[in-house]
Amino acid sequence: MIRIGSGFDVHAFGAGDHVVLGGVRIAHSHGLLAHSDGDVLIHALCDALLGALALGDIGQHFPPGDARYAGADSTQLLAQCMQMVRDSGYTLGNADMTVICEMPKINPHVAAMRARLAQVMQVDIEQVSIKATTTETLGFTGRGEGIAAQAVVLLESA
């Protein structure tokens, strides 16, 4: 049996000197406004995993109002979501993700993000795909107001 899930997340830029994407710290002129570390890529991936399992969304499992998750490292949330995948009798077939922003430039960091996510999820790097795109200066990402990410996962019976 297979299950497919999709996820989407967005965070606005705020004060700071870096963003965290795919578990990788990237120097940037702004940070991301968020209760946790603001890793939109991991948040979208967690939503995709939880959706494939019909277990709701990231906010239900890691509520933004819960002090335990203030400043949380999103790789820890991803590890917990992957444990839910295993506990439900599934393995990851693959994850395909897209980061949507004008800046910072994502492609120089894709290899590191893939490696970090594969490590956290305990899967082969070939199961993790990350792409980047812009919105050609349209919308909030095009105006440089924030970053969005989407993810799709395929889960297979263990």
Coordinates of all heavy atoms in Angstrom, one line a residue, residues 7 22 27 35 51 62 70 83-84 86 100 111 135 155-156:
G7 N 2.4 19.2 1.5 CA 2.5 20.2 2.5 C 2.9 21.5 2.0 O 3.5 21.5 0.9
G22 N 15.8 23.5 5.4 CA 16.2 22.1 5.3 C 17.2 21.8 6.3 O 18.1 20.9 6.1
A27 N 23.2 32.3 5.5 CA 23.4 33.8 5.7 C 22.4 34.6 4.8 O 22.3 34.3 3.7 CB 24.8 34.2 5.5
H35 N 7.5 30.9 15.5 CA 7.6 30.5 16.8 C 8.8 29.6 17.0 O 9.5 29.6 18.0 CB 6.3 29.7 17.2 CG 6.3 29.3 18.6 ND1 6.2 30.2 19.7 CD2 6.3 28.0 19.2 CE1 6.2 29.5 20.8 NE2 6.2 28.2 20.5
G51 N 0.1 14.5 6.6 CA -1.1 14.3 5.7 C -1.2 13.0 5.1 O -2.3 12.4 5.0
F62 N 2.6 20.1 17.1 CA 3.6 21.0 17.7 C 3.0 22.4 17.7 O 3.4 23.3 16.9 CB 4.9 21.0 16.9 CG 5.4 19.6 16.5 CD1 5.2 19.1 15.3 CD2 5.9 18.8 17.5 CE1 5.6 17.8 15.0 CE2 6.4 17.5 17.2 CZ 6.2 17.0 15.9
A70 N 9.1 26.9 21.4 CA 9.6 28.3 21.1 C 11.1 28.1 20.7 O 11.9 27.5 21.4 CB 9.5 29.2 22.3
Q83 N 9.2 9.3 13.0 CA 8.9 8.2 14.0 C 7.5 7.8 13.9 O 7.1 6.6 13.9 CB 9.3 8.6 15.4 CG 9.2 7.5 16.4 CD 10.1 6.3 16.0 OE1 11.3 6.5 15.8 NE2 9.5 5.1 15.9
M84 N 6.6 8.8 13.7 CA 5.2 8.5 13.4 C 5.0 7.7 12.2 O 4.1 6.8 12.1 CB 4.3 9.8 13.4 CG 4.2 10.5 14.7 SD 3.2 12.0 14.5 CE 4.2 13.2 15.3
R86 N 7.2 5.6 10.8 CA 7.6 4.2 11.2 C 6.6 3.5 12.1 O 6.3 2.3 11.9 CB 9.0 4.2 11.8 CG 10.1 4.6 10.8 CD 11.5 4.5 11.3 NE 11.8 5.5 12.3 CZ 12.2 6.7 12.0 NH1 12.5 7.0 10.8 NH2 12.5 7.6 13.0
I100 N 10.3 28.4 -2.5 CA 9.8 29.5 -3.4 C 10.2 30.9 -2.7 O 9.7 31.2 -1.7 CB 8.3 29.5 -3.5 CG1 7.9 28.1 -4.0 CG2 7.8 30.6 -4.5 CD1 6.4 27.7 -3.7
A111 N 22.6 20.7 -2.0 CA 23.3 19.5 -1.6 C 23.3 19.3 -0.1 O 23.1 18.2 0.4 CB 24.7 19.4 -2.2
T135 N 9.0 33.6 -8.0 CA 7.7 33.9 -8.6 C 7.8 35.1 -9.6 O 6.8 35.8 -9.8 CB 6.7 34.2 -7.5 OG1 7.2 35.3 -6.7 CG2 6.4 33.0 -6.7
L155 N 4.7 7.5 0.8 CA 5.0 6.5 1.8 C 4.6 5.1 1.3 O 3.6 5.0 0.6 CB 4.2 6.8 3.1 CG 4.5 8.2 3.7 CD1 3.7 8.3 5.0 CD2 6.0 8.5 4.0
E156 N 5.4 4.1 1.7 CA 5.1 2.8 1.3 C 5.0 1.9 2.5 O 5.7 2.1 3.5 CB 6.3 2.2 0.4 CG 6.5 3.1 -0.8 CD 7.8 2.7 -1.6 OE1 8.9 2.5 -0.9 OE2 7.8 2.6 -2.8

